Amino acid sequence: MPRTHAGWFRLVAIAEAFSWVGLLAAMAFKYGLDMPAGVTVMGWIHGAIFTAYVVTCLVVFSPFRWRFWVLVLALVASVPPLATVWFERWANRRGLLTESDSEDPTFWGKVRYAFRELN
């Protein structure tokens, strides 16, 4: 099991891509061979993994200190088939999957501070 944010992100990004492929294969069986059961199963699996990918992006963008446009690109990558693997590789090449040692508060730290100040 992954122990870092980067490991979890990679795992979920690859799983999302595989679930896309499974869903596309199930759709081929549904419309080509009139076997609709696969779409029901793979649709559910892909939906769950898609949701996990979105949640993972929202969790890891703060420790990775991604800019907002990188987060948007990561989320948009979940729509086309296999684009999450492309995004993961792109982000890894640019060093975007490493946590910063900065003492500045992260995005979620700033949100937490704002909520404390409201009380």
Side-chain angles (χ1 to χ4, degrees), residues 34-71:
D34 197 31
M35 299 170 66
V39 172
T40 303
V41 174
M42 280 310 300
W44 184 87
I45 291 170
H46 175 68
I49 296 174
F50 170 84
T51 303
Y53 178 79
V54 170
V55 169
T56 302
C57 286
L58 294 173
V59 168
V60 302
F61 94 97
S62 184
F64 290 153
R65 298 185 186 277
W66 286 350
R67 296 185 183 268
F68 181 71
W69 68 269
V70 175
L71 173 63

Short mmCIF file of all heavy atoms in Angstrom, two decimals, residues 34-71:
data_model
loop_
_atom_site.label_atom_id
_atom_site.label_comp_id
_atom_site.label_asym_id
_atom_site.label_seq_id
_atom_site.Cartn_x
_atom_site.Cartn_y
_atom_site.Cartn_z
N ASP A 34 -24.91 -6.85 -27.69
CA ASP A 34 -26.17 -6.77 -26.94
C ASP A 34 -26.07 -7.47 -25.58
O ASP A 34 -26.92 -8.27 -25.20
CB ASP A 34 -27.32 -7.36 -27.77
CG ASP A 34 -28.69 -6.93 -27.22
OD1 ASP A 34 -28.76 -5.82 -26.67
OD2 ASP A 34 -29.65 -7.71 -27.34
N MET A 35 -25.00 -7.15 -24.86
CA MET A 35 -24.77 -7.69 -23.51
C MET A 35 -24.61 -6.51 -22.54
O MET A 35 -23.50 -6.08 -22.26
CB MET A 35 -23.53 -8.57 -23.49
CG MET A 35 -23.61 -9.78 -24.41
SD MET A 35 -22.05 -10.64 -24.59
CE MET A 35 -21.79 -11.29 -22.97
N PRO A 36 -25.73 -5.96 -22.02
CA PRO A 36 -25.67 -4.73 -21.24
C PRO A 36 -25.22 -4.88 -19.79
O PRO A 36 -24.97 -3.88 -19.12
CB PRO A 36 -27.11 -4.22 -21.29
CG PRO A 36 -27.93 -5.46 -21.42
CD PRO A 36 -27.10 -6.40 -22.26
N ALA A 37 -25.10 -6.07 -19.26
CA ALA A 37 -24.79 -6.24 -17.84
C ALA A 37 -23.44 -5.65 -17.45
O ALA A 37 -23.27 -5.12 -16.35
CB ALA A 37 -24.85 -7.71 -17.46
N GLY A 38 -22.47 -5.73 -18.34
CA GLY A 38 -21.13 -5.22 -18.03
C GLY A 38 -21.10 -3.73 -17.77
O GLY A 38 -20.33 -3.26 -16.93
N VAL A 39 -21.94 -2.99 -18.48
CA VAL A 39 -21.97 -1.54 -18.29
C VAL A 39 -22.48 -1.20 -16.90
O VAL A 39 -22.00 -0.27 -16.26
CB VAL A 39 -22.80 -0.85 -19.39
CG1 VAL A 39 -22.99 0.63 -19.09
CG2 VAL A 39 -22.13 -1.02 -20.73
N THR A 40 -23.45 -1.98 -16.42
CA THR A 40 -23.97 -1.73 -15.07
C THR A 40 -22.86 -1.90 -14.04
O THR A 40 -22.69 -1.05 -13.17
CB THR A 40 -25.13 -2.70 -14.78
OG1 THR A 40 -26.12 -2.54 -15.77
CG2 THR A 40 -25.71 -2.43 -13.41
N VAL A 41 -22.12 -2.97 -14.15
CA VAL A 41 -21.06 -3.25 -13.18
C VAL A 41 -19.89 -2.28 -13.36
O VAL A 41 -19.45 -1.64 -12.40
CB VAL A 41 -20.57 -4.71 -13.32
CG1 VAL A 41 -19.37 -4.98 -12.42
CG2 VAL A 41 -21.70 -5.66 -12.99
N MET A 42 -19.38 -2.16 -14.58
CA MET A 42 -18.23 -1.29 -14.81
C MET A 42 -18.58 0.18 -14.63
O MET A 42 -17.73 0.97 -14.24
CB MET A 42 -17.65 -1.52 -16.21
CG MET A 42 -16.74 -2.73 -16.31
SD MET A 42 -15.46 -2.84 -15.04
CE MET A 42 -14.52 -1.36 -15.30
N GLY A 43 -19.81 0.55 -14.91
CA GLY A 43 -20.23 1.93 -14.67
C GLY A 43 -20.15 2.28 -13.20
O GLY A 43 -19.68 3.36 -12.83
N TRP A 44 -20.57 1.35 -12.36
CA TRP A 44 -20.52 1.58 -10.92
C TRP A 44 -19.07 1.65 -10.44
O TRP A 44 -18.70 2.53 -9.65
CB TRP A 44 -21.27 0.46 -10.20
CG TRP A 44 -21.33 0.66 -8.73
CD1 TRP A 44 -22.27 1.38 -8.04
CD2 TRP A 44 -20.41 0.17 -7.76
NE1 TRP A 44 -21.98 1.34 -6.71
CE2 TRP A 44 -20.83 0.62 -6.51
CE3 TRP A 44 -19.26 -0.61 -7.84
CZ2 TRP A 44 -20.16 0.31 -5.33
CZ3 TRP A 44 -18.58 -0.91 -6.67
CH2 TRP A 44 -19.04 -0.45 -5.44
N ILE A 45 -18.25 0.71 -10.92
CA ILE A 45 -16.84 0.69 -10.52
C ILE A 45 -16.13 1.95 -10.97
O ILE A 45 -15.41 2.60 -10.20
CB ILE A 45 -16.15 -0.57 -11.08
CG1 ILE A 45 -16.69 -1.82 -10.39
CG2 ILE A 45 -14.63 -0.48 -10.94
CD1 ILE A 45 -16.25 -3.12 -11.04
N HIS A 46 -16.35 2.33 -12.23
CA HIS A 46 -15.71 3.55 -12.74
C HIS A 46 -16.19 4.79 -11.98
O HIS A 46 -15.38 5.67 -11.67
CB HIS A 46 -15.98 3.72 -14.24
CG HIS A 46 -15.44 5.00 -14.78
ND1 HIS A 46 -14.09 5.26 -14.88
CD2 HIS A 46 -16.07 6.12 -15.23
CE1 HIS A 46 -13.92 6.48 -15.37
NE2 HIS A 46 -15.10 7.02 -15.59
N GLY A 47 -17.46 4.84 -11.67
CA GLY A 47 -17.98 5.98 -10.91
C GLY A 47 -17.35 6.10 -9.54
O GLY A 47 -17.00 7.20 -9.09
N ALA A 48 -17.16 4.97 -8.87
CA ALA A 48 -16.53 4.99 -7.55
C ALA A 48 -15.07 5.42 -7.64
O ALA A 48 -14.60 6.25 -6.84
CB ALA A 48 -16.64 3.61 -6.91
N ILE A 49 -14.34 4.88 -8.63
CA ILE A 49 -12.92 5.24 -8.77
C ILE A 49 -12.77 6.68 -9.26
O ILE A 49 -11.86 7.40 -8.84
CB ILE A 49 -12.19 4.24 -9.68
CG1 ILE A 49 -12.21 2.85 -9.02
CG2 ILE A 49 -10.76 4.67 -9.94
CD1 ILE A 49 -11.64 1.75 -9.87
N PHE A 50 -13.67 7.14 -10.13
CA PHE A 50 -13.67 8.53 -10.57
C PHE A 50 -13.84 9.46 -9.36
O PHE A 50 -13.11 10.44 -9.21
CB PHE A 50 -14.79 8.76 -11.58
CG PHE A 50 -15.02 10.20 -11.92
CD1 PHE A 50 -14.25 10.82 -12.88
CD2 PHE A 50 -16.00 10.94 -11.28
CE1 PHE A 50 -14.46 12.15 -13.21
CE2 PHE A 50 -16.22 12.26 -11.60
CZ PHE A 50 -15.44 12.88 -12.56
N THR A 51 -14.78 9.13 -8.50
CA THR A 51 -15.01 9.93 -7.29
C THR A 51 -13.77 9.91 -6.40
O THR A 51 -13.37 10.94 -5.85
CB THR A 51 -16.24 9.42 -6.53
OG1 THR A 51 -17.37 9.45 -7.42
CG2 THR A 51 -16.52 10.25 -5.30
N ALA A 52 -13.15 8.74 -6.26
CA ALA A 52 -11.93 8.63 -5.46
C ALA A 52 -10.82 9.50 -6.05
O ALA A 52 -10.06 10.14 -5.31
CB ALA A 52 -11.48 7.18 -5.37
N TYR A 53 -10.72 9.55 -7.37
CA TYR A 53 -9.70 10.39 -8.02
C TYR A 53 -9.94 11.86 -7.73
O TYR A 53 -9.01 12.59 -7.39
CB TYR A 53 -9.67 10.13 -9.53
CG TYR A 53 -8.68 11.00 -10.26
CD1 TYR A 53 -7.33 10.69 -10.26
CD2 TYR A 53 -9.08 12.15 -10.93
CE1 TYR A 53 -6.41 11.48 -10.91
CE2 TYR A 53 -8.17 12.95 -11.59
CZ TYR A 53 -6.83 12.61 -11.58
OH TYR A 53 -5.92 13.42 -12.22
N VAL A 54 -11.17 12.30 -7.85
CA VAL A 54 -11.49 13.71 -7.58
C VAL A 54 -11.17 14.06 -6.13
O VAL A 54 -10.54 15.09 -5.85
CB VAL A 54 -12.96 14.02 -7.93
CG1 VAL A 54 -13.37 15.39 -7.43
CG2 VAL A 54 -13.18 13.91 -9.44
N VAL A 55 -11.58 13.20 -5.20
CA VAL A 55 -11.30 13.45 -3.79
C VAL A 55 -9.80 13.44 -3.53
O VAL A 55 -9.28 14.30 -2.81
CB VAL A 55 -12.03 12.41 -2.90
CG1 VAL A 55 -11.55 12.47 -1.46
CG2 VAL A 55 -13.54 12.61 -2.98
N THR A 56 -9.08 12.52 -4.15
CA THR A 56 -7.63 12.45 -3.99
C THR A 56 -6.97 13.73 -4.50
O THR A 56 -6.06 14.27 -3.85
CB THR A 56 -7.05 11.22 -4.72
OG1 THR A 56 -7.66 10.05 -4.19
CG2 THR A 56 -5.55 11.13 -4.55
N CYS A 57 -7.42 14.23 -5.63
CA CYS A 57 -6.88 15.50 -6.15
C CYS A 57 -7.10 16.64 -5.16
O CYS A 57 -6.19 17.44 -4.91
CB CYS A 57 -7.53 15.86 -7.49
SG CYS A 57 -6.98 14.87 -8.87
N LEU A 58 -8.29 16.69 -4.58
CA LEU A 58 -8.59 17.76 -3.63
C LEU A 58 -7.79 17.63 -2.34
O LEU A 58 -7.50 18.63 -1.68
CB LEU A 58 -10.09 17.79 -3.33
CG LEU A 58 -10.98 18.17 -4.51
CD1 LEU A 58 -12.45 18.01 -4.15
CD2 LEU A 58 -10.70 19.59 -4.97
N VAL A 59 -7.43 16.41 -1.98
CA VAL A 59 -6.64 16.19 -0.76
C VAL A 59 -5.16 16.51 -1.01
O VAL A 59 -4.52 17.15 -0.18
CB VAL A 59 -6.81 14.74 -0.25
CG1 VAL A 59 -5.80 14.41 0.82
CG2 VAL A 59 -8.23 14.53 0.26
N VAL A 60 -4.61 16.07 -2.14
CA VAL A 60 -3.16 16.18 -2.34
C VAL A 60 -2.71 17.52 -2.91
O VAL A 60 -1.52 17.84 -2.81
CB VAL A 60 -2.61 15.04 -3.23
CG1 VAL A 60 -2.91 13.69 -2.63
CG2 VAL A 60 -3.07 15.15 -4.66
N PHE A 61 -3.60 18.31 -3.46
CA PHE A 61 -3.12 19.55 -4.07
C PHE A 61 -2.54 20.51 -3.04
O PHE A 61 -1.65 21.29 -3.33
CB PHE A 61 -4.21 20.23 -4.92
CG PHE A 61 -5.02 21.27 -4.23
CD1 PHE A 61 -4.70 22.61 -4.36
CD2 PHE A 61 -6.10 20.92 -3.44
CE1 PHE A 61 -5.46 23.58 -3.73
CE2 PHE A 61 -6.86 21.88 -2.82
CZ PHE A 61 -6.53 23.22 -2.96
N SER A 62 -3.02 20.43 -1.81
CA SER A 62 -2.51 21.31 -0.76
C SER A 62 -1.10 20.92 -0.31
O SER A 62 -0.21 21.77 -0.31
CB SER A 62 -3.48 21.33 0.41
OG SER A 62 -3.06 22.25 1.39
N PRO A 63 -0.84 19.65 0.07
CA PRO A 63 0.53 19.32 0.46
C PRO A 63 1.53 19.43 -0.69
O PRO A 63 2.70 19.71 -0.47
CB PRO A 63 0.46 17.87 0.95
CG PRO A 63 -0.95 17.45 0.87
CD PRO A 63 -1.76 18.57 0.32
N PHE A 64 1.08 19.22 -1.93
CA PHE A 64 1.96 19.38 -3.07
C PHE A 64 2.12 20.85 -3.46
O PHE A 64 2.94 21.18 -4.30
CB PHE A 64 1.44 18.61 -4.28
CG PHE A 64 1.54 17.11 -4.16
CD1 PHE A 64 0.67 16.30 -4.83
CD2 PHE A 64 2.52 16.53 -3.38
CE1 PHE A 64 0.75 14.93 -4.73
CE2 PHE A 64 2.62 15.16 -3.27
CZ PHE A 64 1.73 14.35 -3.95
N ARG A 65 1.28 21.70 -2.87
CA ARG A 65 1.28 23.15 -3.14
C ARG A 65 1.11 23.44 -4.63
O ARG A 65 1.80 24.27 -5.22
CB ARG A 65 2.55 23.80 -2.60
CG ARG A 65 2.64 23.64 -1.09
CD ARG A 65 3.80 24.35 -0.50
NE ARG A 65 3.93 24.07 0.89
CZ ARG A 65 3.27 24.69 1.86
NH1 ARG A 65 2.42 25.63 1.58
NH2 ARG A 65 3.47 24.35 3.11
N TRP A 66 0.14 22.71 -5.23
CA TRP A 66 -0.19 22.96 -6.63
C TRP A 66 -0.85 24.32 -6.77
O TRP A 66 -1.60 24.76 -5.90
CB TRP A 66 -1.18 21.92 -7.14
CG TRP A 66 -0.61 20.57 -7.40
CD1 TRP A 66 0.70 20.20 -7.41
CD2 TRP A 66 -1.37 19.38 -7.66
NE1 TRP A 66 0.80 18.86 -7.68
CE2 TRP A 66 -0.43 18.34 -7.84
CE3 TRP A 66 -2.72 19.12 -7.77
CZ2 TRP A 66 -0.83 17.04 -8.13
CZ3 TRP A 66 -3.11 17.83 -8.06
CH2 TRP A 66 -2.17 16.80 -8.23
N ARG A 67 -0.60 24.97 -7.87
CA ARG A 67 -1.37 26.18 -8.21
C ARG A 67 -2.77 25.74 -8.62
O ARG A 67 -3.01 24.58 -8.94
CB ARG A 67 -0.69 26.93 -9.35
CG ARG A 67 0.67 27.47 -8.97
CD ARG A 67 1.21 28.30 -10.12
NE ARG A 67 2.53 28.77 -9.82
CZ ARG A 67 2.78 29.95 -9.25
NH1 ARG A 67 1.80 30.75 -8.91
NH2 ARG A 67 4.02 30.32 -9.04
N PHE A 68 -3.68 26.69 -8.61
CA PHE A 68 -5.08 26.36 -8.91
C PHE A 68 -5.22 25.75 -10.30
O PHE A 68 -5.97 24.80 -10.49
CB PHE A 68 -5.95 27.62 -8.78
CG PHE A 68 -7.40 27.36 -9.03
CD1 PHE A 68 -8.16 26.65 -8.13
CD2 PHE A 68 -8.00 27.81 -10.21
CE1 PHE A 68 -9.51 26.39 -8.37
CE2 PHE A 68 -9.33 27.55 -10.46
CZ PHE A 68 -10.08 26.85 -9.53
N TRP A 69 -4.49 26.26 -11.29
CA TRP A 69 -4.62 25.73 -12.65
C TRP A 69 -4.13 24.29 -12.75
O TRP A 69 -4.64 23.52 -13.58
CB TRP A 69 -3.91 26.63 -13.67
CG TRP A 69 -2.42 26.66 -13.57
CD1 TRP A 69 -1.65 27.51 -12.84
CD2 TRP A 69 -1.51 25.75 -14.20
NE1 TRP A 69 -0.32 27.20 -12.98
CE2 TRP A 69 -0.20 26.14 -13.82
CE3 TRP A 69 -1.67 24.68 -15.05
CZ2 TRP A 69 0.93 25.47 -14.25
CZ3 TRP A 69 -0.52 24.01 -15.49
CH2 TRP A 69 0.75 24.41 -15.09
N VAL A 70 -3.18 23.88 -11.91
CA VAL A 70 -2.73 22.49 -11.91
C VAL A 70 -3.83 21.60 -11.36
O VAL A 70 -4.09 20.51 -11.88
CB VAL A 70 -1.42 22.33 -11.11
CG1 VAL A 70 -1.01 20.87 -11.01
CG2 VAL A 70 -0.31 23.16 -11.74
N LEU A 71 -4.50 22.07 -10.30
CA LEU A 71 -5.63 21.32 -9.76
C LEU A 71 -6.73 21.18 -10.80
O LEU A 71 -7.28 20.08 -11.00
CB LEU A 71 -6.19 22.00 -8.51
CG LEU A 71 -7.47 21.40 -7.94
CD1 LEU A 71 -7.25 19.97 -7.48
CD2 LEU A 71 -8.01 22.26 -6.82
#
